[in-house]
Amino acid sequence: MAHALVSSDAAADRSGRGITQTLESARSQVEERFLEGGSVLLSVMDVLNRLLNSLESVAKALDDKEASDTSADLRATVESLTALPVSEENRQQALILLAQTSRELRKHVADMQETMRYLRTFAVTVKITGAGLAEFAGFAQEILERIYSGTDEVNRFAAHLDSLEKEVKLAASFGVSVSKGYADTVPAVARALQDDAAKIAEHRKNLGVIAREVGAIARGVQSKVSSTLSALQIGDITRQRIEHVQATFSLLEDFLAGEDGARLDAGARQRLQNVVHHLTAAQMSDMCVNFQRESENVVKTIASFDYDMQEILKLRDQMGMESGEAGGNFMRALESSVSAADEIVKQVDAASRQADQVSHSTTRTAAKLSEAIANIRAVKTDIHYMALNTNLRCSRLGEAGKSINVVTAELRIFAGKLDESADAIVNGLPALEAAAGRVAPATDAAAGGLGESLTSAVGNIRSAANVMENELKVLAENGREVAAKIGLLIGKLDFQHELGDVLARCADVLEGVAGTDVADISDLAEAIAPLDRKIFKLYTMVQERNIHRDIIPAREESIPAPTETAKAENDEDLFADALF
């Protein structure tokens, strides 16, 4: 377009139509380029706002209180894991004590079983010895049945104890392997979890630092964009001033074609045209100087965007690396550590369940043993009184009952031994229950929740990592879009490259048409006053009015009244002058 503008021949440029076409071409290019540049700047501002919003989301995810709470939960879980070896050792000691207590009871049970064998032997002897005596036949059978009943109670007692000892043995053997596993793995797993949690915290801290750096640069670019948008007013100012020059030519043509212009001779018309050409050339030249100065500032500001965006992209890539491979490695390492910890937790749960089962079984067994002891005491009492009755009957029988009397006396003695064993067992039962309580202490009730807290902590960390990853993806996309928009902006807002040349050509054309000397039209001041006033009213800038008066001085009667001067100095007018 610029080439087309400057390729017109000199004759066309010096004609009124050529000048008008040249100015219109310049005006349309200025309007088009600055509107386009403003649109690009606004789109950059929009994507910068999105970039800053995504940075705020990243910062919120980094500062999330839940993430801090999760780290605290993970540390608490690690502390619980660290305490496991000591807890398991205490449980092993409790199992050993329970096994010892059970063995002590086993001795007394064995004594009762041995006593019951003797009692059965004596009862059979009574039955055989009293076979010839009718009154002892049924009685001996009754004693024998009671002894068999007592034997069954003792054997059930022994079975309960056997079952308990098997459970204790199983729990102890399992506990030994678990305890060894704790010693081998818990310290390493706890350290790994601590290290992983620390790395993740450090990772988040690094991301926070980078996010703040990106935010600072982005806000700086945002400020530059805002100042550039403000500086783009030079485009609107330039367009208006070109329109003022165009309007000046139109007013000149209208004046010359009207009655006032018809009164002027050819020489006066030429002198008036010369002065107007000098006026428009001066306005155009001043406009070019202002445009070059302001657009140069715009271009410098835009050029600085490139460095800023390279820094943002560099930091964005750094965040991507932090959150990508490194962050993924952190999470994979954490999940690996958690998997190992989870296996330990499963062992904890299994050991706890077994310990609880042993504890409950011991309590139930103690209750059954107490019941069995009561039954055995009842059997012992029955045997004792039966043997005593037998002794009394044998005494009445004289010599015939002497042999039975000896055997029943033995029955009474051995039945008394049952009491001794029963007393020993009864005394040992509280120790058995106490040992069972130490196998599964109340503090181990939380062992089952260790896995849940570990899973919950890691789930929260994974959730926070996913949120962070998504926010960083959005940030990366916005960063790429900002970079693309800035790249487009740099090309679109290089006004000096073409527009500056176009405007300079326009100024050269006008200066060429005007020539070197300004004609004297002082004798035409009154005749051209209507044209002067109309042209002067076009201006929206003090600078334009000053240039005008330098070339076409004001007549005394056209000097603004004091009230108008005061009005021009109104704050709003001064602000308008500064902008336009």
Side-chain angles (χ1 to χ4, degrees), residues 81-125:
L81 280 173
T82 305
L84 285 178
V86 175
S87 299
E88 188 56 34
E89 178 62 27
N90 292 337
R91 181 155 38 214
Q92 286 299 305
Q93 294 299 322
L95 285 169
I96 291 171
L97 180 60
L98 182 59
Q100 290 174 345
T101 306
S102 178
R103 283 195 295 273
E104 291 296 324
L105 290 179
R106 167 65 62 186
K107 295 178 184 178
H108 300 301
V109 171
D111 288 342
M112 284 197 298
Q113 287 176 320
E114 183 68 19
T115 299
M116 295 309 296
R117 282 195 293 273
Y118 279 115
L119 289 173
R120 284 199 305 275
T121 301
F122 289 131
V124 171
T125 302

Side-chain angles (χ1 to χ4, degrees), residues 1-14 18-19 21-26 29 284 497-510:
M1 189 175 289
H3 178 70
L5 176 67
V6 298
S7 64
S8 58
D9 55 44
D13 281 342
R14 292 180 183 277
I19 292 175
Q21 290 175 346
T22 299
L23 289 172
E24 179 57 25
S25 178
Q29 287 189 63
M284 199 71 188
H497 179 61
E498 290 185 356
L499 289 183
D501 293 340
V502 169
L503 296 174
R505 297 280 184 185
C506 286
D508 290 343
V509 169
L510 291 173

Side-chain angles (χ1 to χ4, degrees), residues 12 27 29 37 94 133-134 215 230 264 287 310 366 371-372 414 419 442 446:
R27 188 202 66 77
Q29 287 189 63
L133 301 172
S230 178
L264 301 178
M287 178 191 63
Q310 291 303 321
E371 183 182 349
F414 276 93
D419 256 348

Side-chain angles (χ1 to χ4, degrees), residues 397-467:
L397 290 174
E399 193 64 29
K402 185 179 291 186
S403 58
I404 296 175
N405 197 25
V406 172
V407 175
T408 53
E410 291 293 329
L411 274 174
R412 289 171 60 196
I413 293 171
F414 276 93
K417 289 184 177 181
L418 284 177
D419 256 348
E420 296 175 7
S421 299
D423 288 342
I425 289 174
V426 168
N427 292 334
L429 287 180
L432 188 73
E433 291 175 332
R438 284 192 291 271
V439 168
T443 52
D444 272 3
L450 187 59
E452 293 179 7
S453 63
L454 186 63
T455 303
S456 174
V458 175
N460 290 337
I461 289 176
R462 186 182 294 109
S463 176
N466 290 337
V467 170

